[in-house]
Structure formats: C-alpha cells, structure tokens
Amino acid sequence: MSYHFTTTLEGVPFDQAIEKVTAALKEKGFGVLTTIDVKKTMKEKIDVDFRPYVILGACNPRFAHQALSREDKIGTMMPCNVILQDKDGVVEVSAVNPIASMAAVQNAELGAVAGEVSDLLKQVIEGLR
C-alpha cells in the first residue's frame, strides 16, 4: 500500500493548480486549514532556492471529529496533507493515504474513519485527471 495518491496536471499553471485542487477538496467536504509555501519559506529562512512546492493542510470536519473522538492524540497526524510541486514544468499533486498513516496507531476504531477519508482523497486526486 502506498502512503500517497498522486496525479499530474499537465498545462496548468502552478497557481491555478492550487485553486483547482482547493476546489476539488471542497467538493468532497474538505477545507484547507493551512497553506505552506515551501519555496518561499526555504528562501526566507535559509536562503535556498527551491522548486515551487506547496503543502495544503486539508480537513473534513465531520471525519476529524470522528477521529478525535476515537483517539485523542490523533491530532498529531492531522490535517491530511496534499502537496503540489513543480516537476519539470508539470504540476504533480499528491495526497496522503490516511490508511497508511493510521496503520501506526493501535486503535481499530480508526480504521473505518481512515478508510472513508482515504476514499474521498483518492476521489479528489483521480478527479483531477
């Protein structure tokens, strides 16, 4: 099992790709809580030029509530990260597979929640093609 779902967006400018992914997440009930511009941060903090790379912290409140109700420390693994990066002029989009990340947690009640969230994130990624 892979720890991520990935696709590429050919011919889509990076900024438009962020908007497209954000909209696709919203259609599946996810909001973007955080946006981390890794390229900008690397330049500001350590003066390193890095490729365009953005991390979106996506959260579906209903599933977040279910997970937090079953495991109080699961917040250490939230929100679900979705990344966009420039790979030689093509935008690559990857989302975490919650089933893989939840496998480290010894709580069987999280399995169903992780499965549902995993299905939704996979649909988001597949719908971008």
Side-chain angles (χ1 to χ4, degrees):
M1 167 191 343
S2 178
Y3 68 94
H4 61 88
F5 306 114
T6 299
T7 193
T8 55
L9 301 176
E10 306 242 0
V12 179
F14 198 81
D15 288 341
Q16 287 180 8
I18 294 169
E19 292 173 14
K20 183 175 182 160
V21 171
T22 301
L25 286 164
K26 185 176 182 180
E27 287 178 17
K28 296 296 181 183
F30 292 86
V32 175
L33 301 177
T34 59
T35 302
I36 301 168
D37 185 335
V38 175
K39 176 185 172 96
K40 178 181 172 188
T41 302
M42 294 288 185
K43 188 64 175 175
E44 289 174 357
K45 300 294 182 182
I46 59 174
D47 197 28
V48 170
D49 290 318
F50 198 74
R51 69 186 174 280
Y53 192 111
V54 170
I55 303 169
L56 303 177
C59 180
N60 181 306
R62 184 170 62 89
F63 288 113
H65 179 258
Q66 288 178 25
L68 289 164
S69 296
R70 288 166 174 78
E71 178 70 41
D72 68 339
K73 294 174 188 60
I74 202 62
T76 62
M77 301 179 120
M78 295 166 65
C80 295
N81 285 332
V82 178
I83 65 165
L84 294 91
Q85 62 180 318
D86 186 305
K87 300 283 265 229
D88 299 320
V90 175
V91 179
E92 182 182 81
V93 183
S94 300
V96 67
N97 179 349
I99 293 174
S101 58
M102 296 296 168
V105 180
Q106 301 297 315
N107 184 330
E109 293 181 18
L110 288 175
V113 176
E116 289 184 68
V117 175
S118 180
D119 288 344
L120 289 173
L121 288 172
K122 188 173 184 181
Q123 289 172 31
V124 167
I125 297 300
E126 290 177 351
L128 294 170
R129 295 183 182 153

